[in-house]
Amino acid sequence: MQACPGECECSKKGIDYYGVLSVRKNAHDLEIKKAFRKLAIHYNPERQKDESVQFVFSLIAEAYDVLSDPLKRAIYDQYGEEGLKRGVPGPEELYIEPYVFHGEPLRTYRDFFGTSSPYADLIDVLAKPLPLYELPEGRGIKRKEEPLIKPLLLTLNEVFFGGEKKIKIQRSVLCGDGEGSTTVLREKILTIPIKPGLPSGTEILFPEEGDQGPTKIPADIIFVTEDRPHETFVRDGTNLVMIANVFLREALTGFHVVVNTIDDRILRIPITSVVSPDYEKIVIDEGMPLVDNPKERGDLVIRFKIEFPTYLPNTSKNYIKKAFRVSSTGEKGDAEYIHRLILEDKIRRNIDSDIPMRREPGE
C-alpha cells in the first residue's frame, strides 16, 4: 500500500474510532471486541429511549465495523477517516474504493451477538459460559455457599422445660481424594440444644454442615426458632398471655379462673374486681423461665372476653336497676362510703357462713 509522503495530515482529521471505543491504537482484536460488547449493550436503543443514544450507538457500530476489519483498519491508521471514506491508491496502481458505512447499527450488533436482544450479554453468558480457568473455582479458589436458613418450630412445653431436639438432614458428602473425588448423599442427625425460656427468633448455627463439593466450602445451616401455637397461651417475651371468657354476671360479681399450667398444675385464681374490657389480671411468677436464669420466671397475664346476654326479662332489668341504685347511694368518689359497703358485704358473708344449714326431716 502506497504511503503518503511525510506525516499524513489527513490522519488527524475526522472521527477517532479508537476514542469512540475507548481503546488504545495498538489494541489487539480481543480488546476491540470486548470494548464493542460493553458499549453496544449499554447504548442499545431498546435499553435507552433517547435520540442522542441512537447517534452514539450508530457511531459505536461504525467504529467497530472499521477496526474489526484488518484492511479498513490499516487504511484508517494511515489515512484517517477522510482517506478511508475518500478512497486511496492501492498496490500495483490499484484503487481502493471509498468506505461507506451501511447505516444499520443493529445489523452490526446482530452479526456480533447473533441476536438483536438488548440483553445479549445474558444470552451470551448462558450460551457461552466463561471457561473454567476464568472462574474463581478454576484458579483453585473455593467459594463458600450462602447460608441455609431453616425454621425450627418448638412447642411451649419444649421451650418451658428445655432439652435437646434432633433434626435429620440430608447432604452431599465428598468422598475420595484429588480428581477422583465424588459426592454421595448421606443422612446426618443434628442435635440442637434448647435452653429453658429460649426466645422466639433465636438463631442456632451449625457451621459448614451444607453440601460438600470439590470447588466450594459447605454452607452454614442456621435454624431460627418459632413458637408453635398453643391451645391456651401465647408467649409475650417472658410472659404468658391467655384469654378467659366470662359472662357479664361474673364480670360484675366475681368468679374464679381455672388455669391448667404448662407444668401440669391447676391454679384457681379469684377475680374479685369488676372486670372491664381493658382489665388484666397479673399472676406473678407464672410465666416462662428466663433464659439467663431459669429459676426466675415471667408473669401470667389473663385478659378477659366478656359475653353479654342476648335477652333480659323486665324483672331482671328491674333488679339490675335496683342494684345500681343502691351502689350509687353514696356520693361519687366518696371513698369512706365505698369502704363501708365493702365491710358490710364481708360481715354479711361471714354471718351467712356461720348459720347452720337447715336439716330436712329424716336426715
Side-chain angles (χ1 to χ4, degrees):
M1 183 179 297
Q2 185 177 356
C4 287
E7 185 179 359
C8 182
E9 296 293 331
C10 60
S11 64
K12 300 180 181 178
K13 300 177 182 179
I15 301 172
D16 180 6
Y17 290 139
Y18 292 102
V20 170
L21 297 183
S22 299
V23 295
R24 300 167 298 167
K25 288 192 175 182
N26 61 347
H28 51 71
D29 187 58
L30 183 59
E31 289 177 320
I32 292 173
K33 289 181 183 296
K34 287 182 177 180
F36 173 72
R37 173 194 296 274
K38 179 179 178 181
L39 294 172
I41 291 173
H42 179 72
Y43 288 99
N44 188 301
E46 293 298 321
R47 284 194 172 191
Q48 302 189 41
K49 306 292 184 179
D50 190 345
E51 293 182 1
S52 62
V53 170
Q54 296 274 2
F55 173 76
V56 174
F57 183 66
S58 178
L59 195 59
I60 292 168
E62 181 178 335
Y64 176 74
D65 189 53
V66 171
L67 299 182
S68 62
D69 186 298
L71 178 60
K72 296 174 186 174
R73 181 177 179 179
I75 297 173
Y76 172 75
D77 287 344
Q78 188 168 3
Y79 297 99
E81 183 208 8
E82 184 178 347
L84 177 68
K85 293 184 176 180
R86 187 183 57 214
V88 296
E92 299 179 2
E93 298 182 355
L94 294 177
Y95 183 74
I96 299 177
E97 295 290 331
Y99 165 75
V100 179
F101 181 56
H102 52 69
E104 299 179 29
L106 278 177
R107 171 178 150 189
T108 303
Y109 184 96
R110 186 168 53 252
D111 291 342
F112 182 90
F113 289 102
T115 176
S116 57
S117 169
Y119 306 101
D121 53 338
L122 299 178
I123 297 173
D124 191 65
V125 167
L126 294 175
K128 300 177 182 178
L130 289 174
L132 184 60
Y133 63 83
E134 292 189 15
L135 298 173
E137 294 85 347
R139 299 194 298 270
I141 302 174
K142 289 190 175 184
R143 180 181 57 192
K144 185 162 185 176
E145 298 290 293
E146 292 293 322
L148 302 174
I149 300 176
K150 299 178 179 291
L152 179 63
L153 297 177
L154 301 174
T155 65
L156 287 185
N157 292 63
E158 290 174 323
V159 177
F160 186 92
F161 294 105
E164 292 181 344
K165 195 172 182 70
K166 297 185 182 296
I167 301 292
K168 181 188 292 185
I169 64 169
Q170 287 187 334
R171 65 171 187 158
S172 298
V173 179
L174 197 61
C175 298
D177 298 324
E179 298 180 355
S181 60
T182 58
T183 56
V184 295
L185 195 63
R186 289 185 179 173
E187 292 184 346
K188 183 173 181 178
I189 304 295
L190 299 180
T191 302
I192 304 174
I194 307 298
K195 294 182 178 181
L198 188 70
S200 179
T202 299
E203 295 184 356
I204 302 172
L205 172 68
F206 287 86
E208 299 183 9
E209 288 291 352
D211 292 335
Q212 297 179 353
T215 60
K216 62 183 179 181
I217 300 173
D220 299 336
I221 296 181
I222 301 175
F223 290 97
V224 182
T225 61
E226 296 180 14
D227 289 344
R228 287 185 182 273
H230 191 273
E231 59 183 3
T232 304
F233 305 109
V234 175
R235 185 156 59 141
D236 182 11
T238 60
N239 294 337
L240 288 175
V241 179
M242 65 171 290
I243 304 294
N245 294 317
V246 298
F247 292 107
L248 178 60
R249 176 186 68 254
E250 297 171 327
L252 296 175
T253 61
F255 58 101
H256 284 81
V257 177
V258 179
V259 180
N260 295 313
T261 65
I262 293 177
D263 54 348
D264 294 328
R265 291 177 296 117
I266 297 178
L267 303 179
R268 290 180 57 84
I269 302 169
I271 307 297
T272 57
S273 301
V274 174
V275 176
S276 60
D278 58 350
Y279 174 78
E280 292 182 346
K281 178 68 175 180
I282 298 178
V283 185
I284 305 298
D285 295 335
E286 288 294 342
M288 296 295 287
L290 275 61
V291 68
D292 296 328
N293 186 4
K295 293 182 179 180
E296 295 185 8
R297 293 170 59 177
D299 301 329
L300 171 62
V301 179
I302 305 176
R303 296 170 182 163
F304 299 91
K305 181 180 178 181
I306 304 173
E307 297 182 11
F308 286 76
T310 57
Y311 172 76
L312 279 177
N314 287 332
T315 54
S316 298
K317 291 180 182 179
N318 291 333
Y319 278 120
I320 293 173
K321 290 178 181 178
K322 182 178 179 181
F324 278 106
R325 279 199 302 269
V326 171
S327 66
S328 60
T329 302
E331 297 181 3
K332 188 174 182 181
D334 189 346
E336 183 179 353
Y337 172 76
I338 294 175
H339 291 158
R340 187 169 68 250
L341 281 179
I342 294 174
L343 180 60
E344 291 175 356
D345 182 60
K346 288 183 178 179
I347 294 173
R348 185 176 65 254
R349 281 186 290 174
N350 290 334
I351 294 174
D352 292 342
S353 63
D354 291 337
I355 298 175
M357 296 179 61
R358 186 180 63 179
R359 300 178 66 84
E360 296 294 337
E363 290 186 344

